[in-house]
Amino acid sequence: MKTDLEISQSVVAKHIRDIAEKLDIPENQLEYYGTNKAKLPLSLIKKEKIKDANLILVTAITPTPAGEGKTTTSIGLGDGLNRIGKKALTVIREPSLGPVFGIKGGAAGGGWSQVIPMVDINLHFTGDFSAIEKANNLLAALIDNNIRAQKDNLGIDPRTVLWKRCMDMNDRSLREIISGLGGKAGGLPRETGFNITAASEIMAILCLSENFEDLKTRIGNIYIGDTWEGKPVHARELNAEGAMAVLLKDAIKPNLVQTLEGNPALIHGGPFANIAQGTNSVLATKMGMSLANYVVTEAGFGADLGAEKFLNIKCRSAGLSPKAVVLVATIRALKYHGGKALDALTEPDTEALQAGFPNLERHLASLKSFGLPVVVSLNRFSSDAPEELELLQAHCKALDVPVALSEGWAKGGEGCTALAEAVVAAADKDAKPFTPTYNLEDSIREKMEKVCRTIYGAKHVILSNKANSQLRRFETLGYGQLPVCMAKTQKSLSDDEKKLGRPENFDINIREFEIAAGAGFIIPIAGNILRMPGLPLRPASEQIDVDSQGNIKGLF
Amino acid sequence: MKTDLEISQSVVAKHIRDIAEKLDIPENQLEYYGTNKAKLPLSLIKKEKIKDANLILVTAITPTPAGEGKTTTSIGLGDGLNRIGKKALTVIREPSLGPVFGIKGGAAGGGWSQVIPMVDINLHFTGDFSAIEKANNLLAALIDNNIRAQKDNLGIDPRTVLWKRCMDMNDRSLREIISGLGGKAGGLPRETGFNITAASEIMAILCLSENFEDLKTRIGNIYIGDTWEGKPVHARELNAEGAMAVLLKDAIKPNLVQTLEGNPALIHGGPFANIAQGTNSVLATKMGMSLANYVVTEAGFGADLGAEKFLNIKCRSAGLSPKAVVLVATIRALKYHGGKALDALTEPDTEALQAGFPNLERHLASLKSFGLPVVVSLNRFSSDAPEELELLQAHCKALDVPVALSEGWAKGGEGCTALAEAVVAAADKDAKPFTPTYNLEDSIREKMEKVCRTIYGAKHVILSNKANSQLRRFETLGYGQLPVCMAKTQKSLSDDEKKLGRPENFDINIREFEIAAGAGFIIPIAGNILRMPGLPLRPASEQIDVDSQGNIKGLF
């Protein structure tokens, strides 16, 4: 069997100018990065076009650790829509570099549903992550530089600094550090650490910003810590937002690439889906909707995390609403939720499958709470037995939800035409704008309770003492009107990753809060959320090599 | 008076395709980064062309803290050579991003002798520094990951790890840190720190590598620390070189830009000039020599550091030899060496000027020791008095060294035609390949003594006890054949920055050694060398801004 890299290298990429032409973008609007990548100017965003475009969200049931193929489905669906004659475009996240050297596997789709050039996309791409890193780390340097000043400083109490540095690398040794050692020349020692770049608030900000002004305002609003008197200090007090925005002057522009079938795709931004909104930039989505009639996009992890935040945070902020939602389900994941062991998922087992249906039903109910048409995409794996596929399809019919086989991995767009037809039919129903789960005027506690009950099926939200006191403080500071960005495990609808299927009678325990005042959300944290991954004992990097001609092997 | 940024923005840049055409590079060889930057494939390097090209090194007398305009002269000279009908190309270093936010001032030339697009060049450019950072930091993550492993590890003693992380940011708080805190999840605590990216050995390696194979070999040779038994451990034992080279697959390619006058320039790599070789990549120099008849290049700081390393390290490693050397001198710097106060350098003072001549003479003698023709470039400042200019020119004539006024800053290439003519005349003498200051077979101590006597005019080299024992160990390990890369202050010919002019009767004190086994040199350290700069109390970042249209202000 060919690897993803081999498949991607077997296809001759078209010049990106020809891809742009499909979207009627004149060549002089392209900022080339080689012949297969280009940045696009923000002037391509046209308000009047956006309202007529069909935004399609791809989300998933609760995934197995391997993931259920949301990105592959998004790319395949884009190709499928093009195959049935629609002007369609896939708009997705940029992958993070760090994990490439840890566990083998890229993040640009898979099989015959990939975006290319996949090596570049998985490495430095057009430099967006590096620019975000620099903006993030400039603010950190400015904070420490202000702290070391004996006069004319902001009086920041170094013990309260919330802002961390970031690096797009799986480097567990940087999670917790003491910086500023070495005497006067090193500033002032304090405890701090690094996040991976995808977990940086700058990433979340860039992906919610509408333009340079908005970007600067959001950066200025970043809450970096408190003064010795306990007053909040923001990035704007350091006059940091201008220089940070300059560092992001190119990163703010969406990136045009192509699918293996030569259809256009925009890739832009990649915030984490647990502590951030987990979906590509607002600007890329709006640009996509200005350039095509159907824009397929995805949101990280299961619908409980990705779709909820996509709608309540991103779409609300950007004034967008999808016309339909695709819920990716796999036989293997449903069997997993039905109690089948992870290493036995390739064995046919209709009983386990049936026992896993409630997970699907829970997500369908959540999506219906938004008032949006849903299509189930049955992402086919070679191990799926015919009776399993039939059983799931029959179950969806009984639930009165459209279902389509999706074979993007094995067949590319050809394997997604049935899904494309079902999506067009669903979008044609012209649903009203989605109903948010909560109102911004609700208290933070009400917002959390509504999400936990409506989306997760939980009973109560329990706050630790620490969380309670943080909540009071954030409300006092005027942050009560922000949406909530729930940080919980993606492995369960509950906050306990061992509770598979459709857990019942559970509470969500909020250990503490974080605030992303610049991005514009409060982050209730349920459980341990890793912001800096580590490398496995045998890192994938050991297999990666480049020959004398610059040919790469061992990557993915 | 216009700022450098305003001047650069007043010129309409040509499409980089048109610049490439001047060098007979077909468009399909260009890897565009926008319309004004392109990466060039290594296949443009042609051995048979290199031997016929005239390599011109631009170096300087001991500089004042403001610098004496080497880069400006290099760019102006390239333009001047084009003006007198030569096919000429400037090949220089990429600037570092970190200092941009500290002290105002870019590093892409000045006045009417600049390379453009100067904002991009001073910011992320084509991502080379970021790629170097990632390769450097991947190795650091792999080292800590190996240390935390309970079995199948290399047995690295964490107290001996020499390899540091890097970041292209002026961030003094990262100079010395303790990493790996937070219990088992954070690895193993140890003392470490960050260098600025330009000071990373990866930067030095990239700039000395001849191709991918050489790059991987050099990376594999990096000496990262010792085992608990005291045996050296290298990057190759971590199987790191393949993945690190993959991260550098684009960074290895030279970047084509243009001067304000639309002449081609290559910018590639930017290693520090104190602890590394301080000059652009071998690949860019060789590519330049394959594409043009005259290649003007520069090396950091004064001739004692820059030219010495350019010749004894870079040219020896690459098998190159310049046809002529341009020694940049300024009236202001000579007066400074003659005892004039830094804040009074604009006052005419022929006495101070004359008293400063010995500094010029010392550098001329050093350069003559290499057997190369020298031209003095009198880099004119508006404050220079006519009698001062005449005095210096007369002095050069008395010394029998050609001298030419250089007015690149004020007049661009037009101000450098006299210099260009003098350089062509000097290069036409067709000097023999340069005579190195030492042989690689000399002992490390002999190498240091030869450099200190011949180039600095020192009497003896004094080693601390620590340096002595390090030296014995490095020789035992087989590193005795490497060249030496002296790390000393650029402010004086001696190791004491207060000794201006031409110090006499001084010794050079070597505090300790470092080794860059991958780059291939031993670094004798005389005095304190900063590998991670800090921000000033009022950082330049506060003035930097971008408007809603993406226009940048306050930068430079």
Side-chain angles (χ1 to χ4, degrees):
Chain A
M1 211 176 66
K2 282 187 177 176
T3 65
D4 286 350
L5 178 59
E6 286 162 352
I7 291 173
S8 84
Q9 286 172 339
S10 73
V11 171
V12 179
K14 292 185 184 146
H15 198 288
I16 198 68
R17 164 181 61 220
D18 302 328
I19 303 299
E21 209 185 321
K22 291 192 180 188
L23 298 172
D24 308 307
I25 304 171
E27 190 181 353
N28 65 16
Q29 299 284 290
L30 299 176
E31 192 178 321
Y32 288 122
Y33 282 69
T35 48
N36 306 130
K37 299 163 281 178
K39 279 200 168 278
L40 300 178
L42 301 186
S43 56
L44 291 176
I45 298 173
K46 308 282 183 201
K47 222 172 176 178
E48 66 282 5
K49 297 256 178 120
I50 293 172
K51 62 179 197 307
D52 296 328
N54 295 286
L55 180 62
I56 312 295
L57 171 67
V58 175
T59 184
I61 63 169
T62 305
T64 66
E68 304 319 307
K70 270 194 318 291
T71 307
T72 303
T73 301
S74 300
I75 296 166
L77 175 55
D79 284 338
L81 285 162
N82 273 289
R83 286 202 180 231
I84 64 168
K86 302 297 180 188
K87 190 173 183 183
L89 178 61
T90 300
V91 182
I92 53 179
R93 284 173 289 169
E94 299 178 54
S96 171
L97 175 62
V100 166
F101 301 106
I103 298 158
K104 224 170 155 166
W112 289 94
S113 289
Q114 293 189 51
V115 281
I116 50 174
M118 78 96 91
V119 169
D120 288 6
I121 292 170
N122 276 288
L123 295 179
H124 312 291
F125 198 32
T126 57
D128 295 345
F129 275 51
S130 287
I132 287 164
E133 211 169 292
K134 287 291 177 297
N136 181 101
N137 294 343
L138 173 60
L139 180 54
L142 292 172
I143 292 168
D144 274 313
N145 194 52
N146 193 275
I147 288 173
R148 85 181 168 99
Q150 290 306 297
K151 48 182 186 176
D152 293 332
N153 63 25
L154 297 173
I156 300 168
D157 178 350
R159 303 163 305 179
T160 67
V161 175
L162 302 163
W163 194 252
K164 291 188 170 183
R165 288 172 180 81
C166 74
M167 188 188 285
D168 196 8
M169 187 61 65
N170 283 21
D171 191 348
R172 73 179 74 233
S173 290
L174 292 179
R175 276 179 198 155
E176 293 189 31
I177 69 168
I178 294 175
S179 65
L181 297 171
K184 282 189 179 178
L188 206 82
R190 64 181 183 87
E191 292 176 66
T192 181
F194 280 70
N195 295 330
I196 195 164
T197 305
S200 156
E201 188 180 347
I202 303 296
M203 177 66 86
I205 287 174
L206 186 79
C207 289
L208 285 168
S209 294
E210 303 274 347
N211 51 49
F212 274 113
E213 285 307 307
D214 188 24
L215 177 70
K216 282 199 290 181
T217 303
R218 288 176 189 264
I219 291 174
N221 287 343
I222 293 170
Y223 182 6
I224 58 179
D226 299 324
T227 64
W228 291 97
E229 292 78 35
K231 281 187 204 151
V233 182
H234 311 89
R236 61 177 171 267
E237 278 117 68
L238 287 163
N239 297 316
E241 67 272 33
M244 290 168 70
V246 166
L247 282 168
L248 297 169
K249 78 177 179 67
D250 298 313
I252 202 174
K253 300 175 199 159
N255 306 292
L256 178 66
V257 293
Q258 63 192 292
T259 68
L260 287 177
E261 302 192 358
N263 291 312
L266 294 180
I267 314 197
H268 195 219
F272 260 20
N274 44 25
I275 63 142
Q277 71 269 34
T279 182
N280 62 264
S281 74
V282 165
L283 288 166
T285 302
K286 289 191 168 176
M287 190 178 289
M289 294 172 78
S290 306
L291 296 168
N293 302 122
Y294 287 84
V295 167
V296 182
T297 191
E298 44 122 35
F301 298 141
D304 52 329
L305 286 162
E308 187 271 308
K309 293 174 183 181
F310 178 84
L311 294 164
N312 287 316
I313 297 178
K314 175 180 174 171
C315 285
R316 174 161 20 203
S317 161
L320 297 171
S321 188
K323 291 281 168 63
V325 180
V326 173
L327 182 66
V328 174
T330 62
I331 298 291
R332 31 176 283 127
L334 289 168
K335 285 191 287 193
Y336 180 60
H337 288 294
K340 196 84 177 165
L342 202 50
D343 57 4
L345 294 181
T346 53
E347 292 168 14
D349 187 339
T350 50
E351 213 168 301
L353 176 60
Q354 209 142 16
F357 284 166
N359 184 274
L360 174 72
E361 289 159 22
R362 174 72 253 170
H363 288 294
L364 284 171
S366 303
L367 293 172
K368 283 197 176 151
S369 76
F370 293 105
L372 293 169
V374 181
V375 175
V376 171
S377 166
L378 205 184
N379 189 10
R380 188 175 189 169
F381 278 69
S382 51
S383 58
D384 297 346
E387 66 271 24
E388 291 178 319
L389 294 168
E390 276 162 35
L391 185 63
L392 177 57
Q393 286 171 303
H395 186 68
C396 288
K397 268 166 206 150
L399 292 170
D400 200 24
V401 56
V403 59
L405 257 193
S406 164
E407 301 181 274
W409 189 85
K411 302 182 185 170
E414 187 61 46
C416 291
T417 50
L419 177 62
E421 300 281 8
V423 163
V424 169
D428 276 350
K429 285 181 185 158
D430 212 12
K432 272 183 258 175
F434 77 96
T435 309
T437 311
Y438 53 82
N439 296 315
L440 294 180
E441 297 72 36
D442 294 342
S443 71
I444 297 289
R445 185 179 276 277
E446 281 172 313
K447 290 172 195 165
M448 292 190 293
E449 280 179 350
K450 286 181 178 176
V451 170
C452 292
R453 284 181 192 147
T454 316
I455 309 296
Y456 308 162
K459 283 171 67 188
H460 301 292
V461 176
I462 315 287
L463 269 62
S464 72
N465 286 343
K466 180 179 181 184
N468 253 316
S469 80
Q470 285 178 306
L471 186 58
R472 276 193 301 274
R473 178 160 154 82
F474 286 142
E475 285 179 331
T476 308
L477 291 173
Y479 292 123
Q481 309 293 303
L482 294 179
V484 292
C485 181
M486 302 296 295
K488 84 164 177 68
T489 179
Q490 72 271 26
K491 295 177 182 169
S492 169
L493 279 156
S494 76
D495 61 5
D496 174 359
E497 64 176 50
K498 295 196 186 72
K499 288 189 178 138
L500 302 180
R502 177 183 187 158
E504 309 261 3
N505 291 317
F506 65 92
D507 298 326
I508 295 287
N509 299 284
I510 305 300
R511 190 162 49 86
E512 59 182 335
F513 286 94
E514 286 192 14
I515 182 146
F521 46 72
I522 292 223
I523 309 165
I525 296 184
N528 286 313
I529 302 295
L530 206 60
R531 285 170 204 74
M532 172 53 96
L535 292 171
L537 289 175
R538 289 226 80 95
S541 65
E542 296 190 5
Q543 312 304 323
I544 298 173
D545 205 0
V546 53
D547 70 17
S548 57
Q549 300 309 305
N551 299 311
I552 288 167
K553 64 176 190 186
L555 202 61
F556 325 114
Chain B
M1 212 177 64
K2 280 187 179 176
T3 65
D4 287 350
L5 178 58
E6 285 161 352
I7 290 173
S8 83
Q9 287 173 338
S10 73
V11 171
V12 179
K14 292 185 183 144
H15 197 289
I16 199 69
R17 163 181 61 219
D18 302 329
I19 303 299
E21 209 185 322
K22 292 192 179 190
L23 298 172
D24 308 308
I25 305 171
E27 191 181 354
N28 65 16
Q29 299 284 292
L30 299 176
E31 193 178 320
Y32 288 123
Y33 282 68
T35 49
N36 306 131
K37 297 164 283 178
K39 281 200 167 277
L40 300 177
L42 300 187
S43 56
L44 291 176
I45 298 174
K46 308 282 182 202
K47 221 172 176 180
E48 66 282 6
K49 298 254 179 128
I50 293 172
K51 63 179 196 307
D52 297 330
N54 295 284
L55 180 61
I56 312 296
L57 171 67
V58 176
T59 184
I61 62 169
T62 306
T64 66
E68 304 319 307
K70 271 193 318 289
T71 307
T72 303
T73 302
S74 301
I75 296 165
L77 176 55
D79 284 339
L81 286 163
N82 274 289
R83 284 203 180 230
I84 64 167
K86 302 296 178 188
K87 191 172 181 184
L89 178 61
T90 300
V91 182
I92 52 179
R93 285 171 290 171
E94 299 179 54
S96 170
L97 175 62
V100 167
F101 302 108
I103 297 158
K104 223 168 156 165
W112 289 94
S113 289
Q114 293 189 52
V115 281
I116 50 174
M118 78 94 92
V119 169
D120 288 7
I121 291 170
N122 276 287
L123 295 178
H124 313 293
F125 198 31
T126 57
D128 295 344
F129 276 51
S130 287
I132 287 162
E133 210 169 295
K134 288 292 178 295
N136 180 100
N137 294 341
L138 173 60
L139 180 55
L142 292 172
I143 292 168
D144 275 312
N145 194 53
N146 193 277
I147 288 173
R148 84 179 169 98
Q150 290 305 296
K151 48 182 186 177
D152 292 333
N153 63 25
L154 297 173
I156 300 168
D157 178 350
R159 301 163 306 178
T160 67
V161 175
L162 301 164
W163 195 251
K164 291 188 170 185
R165 290 172 178 80
C166 74
M167 188 188 285
D168 196 8
M169 188 61 65
N170 282 21
D171 191 348
R172 74 179 74 234
S173 291
L174 292 179
R175 276 180 200 157
E176 294 189 30
I177 69 167
I178 295 175
S179 65
L181 298 172
K184 283 189 180 181
L188 206 82
R190 65 180 184 88
E191 292 176 68
T192 182
F194 280 69
N195 295 331
I196 195 164
T197 305
S200 156
E201 188 180 345
I202 302 296
M203 177 65 86
I205 287 174
L206 186 80
C207 289
L208 285 169
S209 294
E210 302 274 347
N211 51 48
F212 274 113
E213 284 308 308
D214 188 25
L215 176 71
K216 281 198 289 181
T217 303
R218 288 176 188 264
I219 292 174
N221 287 343
I222 293 170
Y223 182 7
I224 57 180
D226 298 324
T227 65
W228 290 96
E229 292 79 35
K231 282 188 204 149
V233 182
H234 311 91
R236 59 177 171 268
E237 277 118 67
L238 287 163
N239 297 316
E241 67 272 33
M244 289 168 70
V246 165
L247 281 168
L248 297 169
K249 78 177 178 69
D250 298 314
I252 201 174
K253 300 176 199 159
N255 306 292
L256 178 66
V257 293
Q258 63 191 289
T259 68
L260 287 177
E261 302 191 359
N263 291 312
L266 295 180
I267 313 195
H268 194 220
F272 259 22
N274 45 25
I275 62 142
Q277 72 269 35
T279 182
N280 62 263
S281 73
V282 165
L283 288 167
T285 302
K286 289 193 168 176
M287 190 177 287
M289 294 172 77
S290 308
L291 295 168
N293 302 122
Y294 287 85
V295 167
V296 181
T297 191
E298 44 122 34
F301 299 142
D304 52 329
L305 286 162
E308 186 271 309
K309 294 175 184 181
F310 179 83
L311 294 164
N312 287 316
I313 297 177
K314 175 180 172 169
C315 285
R316 170 155 32 198
S317 162
L320 297 171
S321 187
K323 291 281 169 60
V325 179
V326 173
L327 182 65
V328 173
T330 61
I331 299 291
R332 31 175 284 126
L334 288 169
K335 285 191 286 192
Y336 180 60
H337 287 294
K340 197 84 176 166
L342 202 50
D343 57 3
L345 295 182
T346 53
E347 292 169 14
D349 187 339
T350 51
E351 213 168 303
L353 176 60
Q354 209 142 14
F357 284 164
N359 184 271
L360 174 72
E361 289 159 22
R362 173 73 251 168
H363 289 293
L364 284 172
S366 303
L367 293 171
K368 282 192 178 158
S369 74
F370 293 105
L372 292 170
V374 180
V375 175
V376 171
S377 166
L378 205 184
N379 189 9
R380 187 175 190 169
F381 278 69
S382 52
S383 59
D384 297 346
E387 66 273 21
E388 291 177 318
L389 294 169
E390 277 162 35
L391 185 63
L392 178 55
Q393 285 170 302
H395 187 68
C396 288
K397 268 165 208 153
L399 293 170
D400 200 26
V401 57
V403 59
L405 258 193
S406 164
E407 301 180 274
W409 189 86
K411 301 181 185 169
E414 186 60 47
C416 292
T417 50
L419 178 62
E421 300 281 8
V423 163
V424 169
D428 276 350
K429 286 181 186 159
D430 212 12
K432 272 183 259 177
F434 76 96
T435 310
T437 311
Y438 53 84
N439 296 315
L440 294 180
E441 296 72 36
D442 295 342
S443 71
I444 297 289
R445 184 179 278 275
E446 282 172 313
K447 289 173 196 166
M448 291 189 294
E449 281 178 352
K450 287 182 178 176
V451 170
C452 292
R453 285 182 192 146
T454 318
I455 309 295
Y456 308 162
K459 282 172 66 188
H460 300 290
V461 176
I462 315 288
L463 269 62
S464 71
N465 286 343
K466 180 179 181 183
N468 253 317
S469 79
Q470 285 180 306
L471 186 57
R472 277 194 300 274
R473 179 160 154 81
F474 287 142
E475 285 179 330
T476 309
L477 291 174
Y479 292 123
Q481 310 293 304
L482 295 179
V484 292
C485 181
M486 302 295 294
K488 84 164 177 69
T489 178
Q490 71 272 26
K491 295 177 183 169
S492 169
L493 279 156
S494 76
D495 61 3
D496 174 359
E497 65 175 52
K498 294 194 188 74
K499 289 190 177 138
L500 302 181
R502 178 183 186 159
E504 309 262 2
N505 290 317
F506 65 92
D507 297 325
I508 295 287
N509 299 283
I510 306 299
R511 189 162 49 85
E512 59 182 335
F513 287 93
E514 286 193 14
I515 183 146
F521 47 72
I522 293 225
I523 310 165
I525 297 184
N528 286 311
I529 302 296
L530 206 59
R531 286 170 204 72
M532 172 53 96
L535 292 171
L537 288 173
R538 289 226 79 95
S541 65
E542 297 191 4
Q543 312 305 321
I544 298 172
D545 205 0
V546 53
D547 70 16
S548 56
Q549 302 309 305
N551 299 311
I552 287 166
K553 64 176 190 186
L555 203 61
F556 326 113

